[in-house]
Amino acid sequence: EPEVTQTPSHQVTQMGQEVILRCVPISNHLYFYWYRQILGQKVEFLVSFYNNEISEKSEIFDDQFSVERPDGSNFTLKIRSTKLEDSAMYFCASSVLRRWDTQYFGPGTRLTVL
Amino acid sequence: QKEVEQDPGPLSVPEGAIVSLNCTYSNSAFQYFMWYRQYSRKGPELLMYTYSSGNKEDGRFTAQVDKSSKYISLFIRDSQPSDSATYLCAMSMDSNYQLIWGAGTKLIIKP
């Protein structure tokens, strides 16, 4: 069964450093998403991406964040100048349609900012 | 007031018991109500969803929505140890609108 993959599974970084979280969506999917989940808290939508541009973003997704689809398979989330409060699980998801009921989630990357 | 509230648990029950998981919400505009299951170190997986009010059944799982009370439930019959996971509710105003999530309830089924 096709699945969304994410690397690395765990990233540790120093405050102020830049990190890039990587995702490989399911190959025939057209819509891509990033979510985050701070430990013990709810899942929060960050951004959706379609046709090589951001289609929707939340208030959390400020200038510190950027997304890119650098080639035909990867989808990346870059966090510049990381802060302690960026520590969270980051989930990538992809879907065929722009509908939440067709989204498949990856296993997540745990980001720890020290 | 939080938009979606969910008791984090953990909820521990013996195998074979009926499990009841619940969420309350404040926004009366929500139309779609979803339940996700999340195993440890995995992403959320959509279990089932309901549109507007009413019940929906899928095997051992039943989802209920009471819009008048702004309350949704997920029932699991004949619970199995493999059902042990975190269950998240989520809601949306539209089929392609952003999801608003609950914090999740950790469920433990004891053999």
Side-chain angles (χ1 to χ4, degrees):
Chain A
E1 184 176 327
E3 58 182 12
V4 177
T5 59
Q6 289 185 244
T7 54
S9 57
H10 190 192
Q11 174 89 50
V12 181
T13 190
Q14 296 291 323
M15 190 169 56
Q17 296 296 303
E18 175 182 287
V19 295
I20 297 176
L21 310 183
R22 291 182 167 79
C23 168
V24 179
I26 294 173
S27 61
N28 64 334
H29 285 188
L30 302 175
Y31 297 85
F32 313 111
Y33 313 83
W34 283 102
Y35 296 83
R36 80 172 184 191
Q37 185 177 29
I38 296 170
L39 186 63
Q41 298 186 27
K42 60 183 63 177
V43 175
E44 298 172 295
F45 169 79
L46 292 178
V47 66
S48 61
F49 191 86
Y50 170 73
N51 200 26
N52 280 320
E53 61 182 28
I54 291 173
S55 49
E56 198 172 8
K57 62 182 180 179
S58 71
E59 294 174 353
I60 303 168
F61 194 89
D62 58 22
D63 292 343
Q64 184 194 8
F65 295 90
S66 62
V67 290
E68 192 178 30
R69 189 153 162 83
D71 53 41
S73 59
N74 289 283
F75 179 51
T76 62
L77 175 68
K78 182 188 292 185
I79 309 175
R80 288 180 282 275
S81 189
T82 49
K83 299 175 279 194
L84 295 176
E85 54 265 38
D86 294 327
S87 295
M89 281 291 286
Y90 288 81
F91 293 104
C92 173
S94 68
S95 66
V96 174
L97 304 173
R98 187 175 168 250
R99 285 176 60 100
W100 40 258
D101 59 342
T102 67
Q103 286 185 19
Y104 287 81
F105 285 79
T109 292
R110 178 170 298 284
L111 176 65
T112 301
V113 182
L114 302 176
Chain B
Q1 184 183 17
K2 293 181 181 178
E3 276 200 287
V4 179
E5 301 211 41
Q6 186 175 10
D7 187 332
L11 176 63
S12 184
V13 301
E15 183 177 356
I18 296 175
V19 174
S20 173
L21 302 165
N22 311 293
C23 287
T24 59
Y25 63 96
S26 57
N27 189 345
S28 57
F30 287 139
Q31 295 283 357
Y32 290 85
F33 304 92
M34 284 69 75
W35 286 97
Y36 287 81
R37 178 174 61 197
Q38 185 178 19
Y39 290 115
S40 180
R41 302 185 181 181
K42 296 286 189 180
E45 170 194 16
L46 181 63
L47 265 180
M48 55 196 307
Y49 72 91
T50 309
Y51 173 72
S52 194
S53 283
N55 295 357
K56 187 172 185 177
E57 190 172 318
D58 184 1
R60 297 185 293 112
F61 299 86
T62 300
Q64 281 188 356
V65 174
D66 182 348
K67 293 190 76 179
S68 62
S69 302
K70 296 190 180 70
Y71 187 88
I72 70 170
S73 300
L74 178 70
F75 298 97
I76 308 174
R77 290 182 299 281
D78 187 24
S79 55
Q80 305 294 312
S82 58
D83 295 327
S84 297
T86 296
Y87 289 79
L88 304 106
C89 64
M91 305 177 189
S92 178
M93 289 183 275
D94 191 272
S95 62
N96 58 15
Y97 202 75
Q98 282 184 36
L99 295 177
I100 307 298
W101 298 75
T105 298
K106 183 172 183 178
L107 174 65
I108 301 168
I109 308 297
K110 297 176 293 185

